[in-house]
Amino acid sequence: MKKILCFGEALIDFLNIGASHQGPLTLPEFRQYPGGAPANAAVAVARLGGHACFAGQVGQDPFGEFLAAALQEYGVDTRFLLKHPEAKTALAFVMLDADGDRSFSFHRHETADVILTQEQVSDDWFSGDTIVHFCSNTLTTPQIAQCTRHVLNQARSAGNLISFDVNLRHNLWPQGAADRALVNELVKQADVVKFSRDELEYLAGGDSDTYIRECLASQCQLLLVTDGANRIDYFTAGHQGHLQPPKVKVVDTTAGGDAFIGGFLYGLGCMENANAVFADTRELESLLLFATHCGAYAVTQPGAFPALPGLTDIQTQATQHGHSIAAFNPVLFRSQV
């Protein structure tokens, strides 16, 4: 079983769960949840039985302690989670309007996650048979972008496979939109890249076909393009195809993408030769089918960490949708043996 090292931000999501009234005021009420896309992906891997590590930095404050404890409760290895003695843990407030539509307010200026330096990155992160996973929120300021470049250089030098879930959050960038050139620089250094369809179109600048060819001519071995409940397209140097995710009743989409990529990374981590999977269409589609079930399960549950499935959940859901477990590679379930 390969180590899956998820690098990036762990933060607190304060979700608006209602309101109370006091005198003339309507007071929004918020509930504290653990979050951050790389942290979610690490929990997704751990819930399935994989060896998940989280590498990043939180504050040495009650929020940072809560995040560390939450990751540990879900089986994530936190030995590479750093705690800054002064900088605070990042916060995100998720608010609801009268129609139930969400808006986000991030408190992430000079927080612990964005002031991590390359001197704090340990060679131990990359030791052994490791897959390194990251997202674009560690590119939003010059300091954390430089640290991310260093992480990828170290991972490549160590022979690690690199996964990039683009996961653009334009409102986290100083200019109000992601730096297309910077994100694309990192896209072309990754082996596996996951985009939403909107992210692909943004980064491709209007010419997705040419962009995909350029990515596959660089380091990229697999491109994954998700589109909510619609089909997932995949591209390798020798093949392209698509899969339809299972149709489910959606409760909360928060963890859907992280469950999908976490399921896929878990599958790669189970493979003796992960790189060979990209050239084997049958085996690749088996892993992607498994990952689509992980994503579909997560959106039927509320929240992030609690919504992420274990192997038994996937077995049950697959049966309900007419997929026998034989459709998946049997090594995915070896942790149950």
Side-chain angles (χ1 to χ4, degrees), residues 205-262:
D207 188 354
S208 296
D209 291 341
T210 299
Y211 179 80
I212 288 169
R213 288 195 297 271
E214 290 174 349
C215 289
L216 292 173
S218 61
Q219 182 66 41
C220 302
Q221 300 188 67
L222 173 66
L223 305 179
L224 300 168
V225 185
T226 62
D227 190 14
N230 300 317
R231 77 180 197 184
I232 295 167
D233 293 326
Y234 72 86
F235 303 85
T236 68
H239 186 71
Q240 66 183 69
H242 62 269
L243 295 90
Q244 179 61 49
K247 297 294 185 183
V248 296
K249 182 178 180 180
V250 176
V251 172
D252 182 355
T253 61
T254 299
D258 299 323
F260 169 76
I261 194 62

Side-chain angles (χ1 to χ4, degrees), residues 24-43:
L25 301 178
T26 298
L27 305 176
E29 296 177 344
F30 293 87
R31 181 173 292 162
Q32 174 178 317
Y33 286 92
N40 292 343
V43 172

Side-chain angles (χ1 to χ4, degrees), residues 117-145:
T117 66
Q118 66 182 56
E119 289 74 24
Q120 294 174 277
V121 175
S122 167
D123 290 343
D124 291 341
W125 291 17
F126 314 102
S127 63
D129 202 352
T130 297
I131 297 172
V132 173
H133 176 70
F134 75 108
C135 303
S136 68
N137 287 345
T138 51
L139 300 175
T140 55
T141 66
Q143 180 168 326
I144 193 59

Side-chain angles (χ1 to χ4, degrees), residues 11-85:
L11 51 76
I12 301 293
D13 283 328
F14 280 106
L15 302 186
N16 185 193
I17 59 171
S20 61
H21 300 277
Q22 187 171 345
L25 301 178
T26 298
L27 305 176
E29 296 177 344
F30 293 87
R31 181 173 292 162
Q32 174 178 317
Y33 286 92
N40 292 343
V43 172
V45 172
R47 285 280 290 124
L48 294 165
H51 180 192
C53 294
F54 180 79
Q57 184 166 246
V58 295
Q60 194 169 304
D61 55 26
F63 296 133
E65 296 296 336
F66 171 76
L67 287 167
L71 288 165
Q72 290 163 7
E73 284 292 333
Y74 280 94
V76 176
D77 183 341
T78 58
R79 62 191 151 132
F80 304 133
L81 174 63
L82 305 171
K83 295 178 182 177
H84 197 283

